């Protein structure tokens, strides 16, 4: 069965509006390959605590700032890519510039006890759970 349109131009305009809305939503990120949020972060639970692994290739550790408060962690920094003065860029897919990412975790944390290790472009944050948030064993009498 053939699906007919009452006005084919209206259908094309509706398609154009839908495509424009998709592009405006930044669903592809800032690059040519859908990169999503930067930096990419994996968080997993280890015993009672959390571990966050953040990929930051090309970022100098002196350009990183990490803050923690309540159950949020903020990672800010700058990634620079230096091309020589005589370089002519033909394709640019590696992003550079300032980034600022805040993540919330589902538990209360101890911000003063977070440990950060940075090596080979990988940042590891060891995030301890707040003592008040840890489950307690209750004896039945």
């Amino acid at each position: 069965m053939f699906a007919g349109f009452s006005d084919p131009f209206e259908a094309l305009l509706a398609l154009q509006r839908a495509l424009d809305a998709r592009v405006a939503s930044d669903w592809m990120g800032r690059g040519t390959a859908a990169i999503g949020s930067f930096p990419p972060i994996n968080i997993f639970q280890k015993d009672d605590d959390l571990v966050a692994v953040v990929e930051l290739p090309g970022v100098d550790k002196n350009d990183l700032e990490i803050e923690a408060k309540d159950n949020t962690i903020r990672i800010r920094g700058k990634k620079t890519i230096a091309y020589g003065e005589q370089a002519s860029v033909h394709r640019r897919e590696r992003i550079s510039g300032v980034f600022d990412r805040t993540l919330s975790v589902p538990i209360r944390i101890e911000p003063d006890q977070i440990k950060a290790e940075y090596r080979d472009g990988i940042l590891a944050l060891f995030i301890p759970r707040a003592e008040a948030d840890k489950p307690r064993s209750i004896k039945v009498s």
Side-chain angles (χ1 to χ4, degrees):
M1 175 112 207
F2 177 72
F5 296 102
S6 59
D7 184 0
F9 292 108
E10 182 57 38
L12 285 173
L13 287 173
L15 176 63
Q16 183 64 48
R17 284 191 293 271
L19 289 172
D20 289 343
R22 250 336 195 177
V23 170
S25 72
D26 197 28
W27 68 279
M28 286 182 56
R30 295 186 316 161
T32 57
I35 56 169
S37 299
F38 185 84
I41 300 171
N42 286 350
I43 300 176
F44 59 93
Q45 186 169 346
K46 184 175 180 185
D47 300 323
D48 286 332
D49 303 332
L50 297 176
V51 178
V53 178
V54 187
E55 293 181 13
L56 294 163
V59 176
D60 188 273
K61 79 177 192 177
N62 296 322
D63 291 334
L64 283 175
E65 294 179 37
I66 304 165
E67 298 174 348
K69 181 179 179 183
D70 297 329
N71 70 328
T72 60
I73 299 168
R74 183 178 185 186
I75 302 168
R76 293 186 288 192
K78 178 177 60 171
K79 179 179 178 182
T80 55
I81 299 174
Y83 301 103
E85 289 181 24
Q86 302 297 321
S88 174
V89 178
H90 296 280
R91 184 173 185 97
R92 191 178 136 211
E93 294 182 0
R94 295 176 58 219
I95 62 170
S96 63
V98 176
F99 59 89
D100 190 338
R101 182 119 189 243
T102 301
L103 54 122
S104 297
V105 293
I107 62 170
R108 286 187 283 174
I109 60 174
E110 295 287 352
D112 296 334
Q113 296 178 12
I114 293 176
K115 292 185 174 87
E117 294 179 9
Y118 187 66
R119 185 177 17 192
D120 298 330
I122 303 293
L123 173 67
L125 297 174
F126 301 93
I127 308 163
R129 183 178 218 157
E131 283 297 321
D133 201 44
K134 290 182 181 178
R136 303 279 187 238
S137 294
I138 301 170
K139 278 191 167 183
V140 177
S141 56

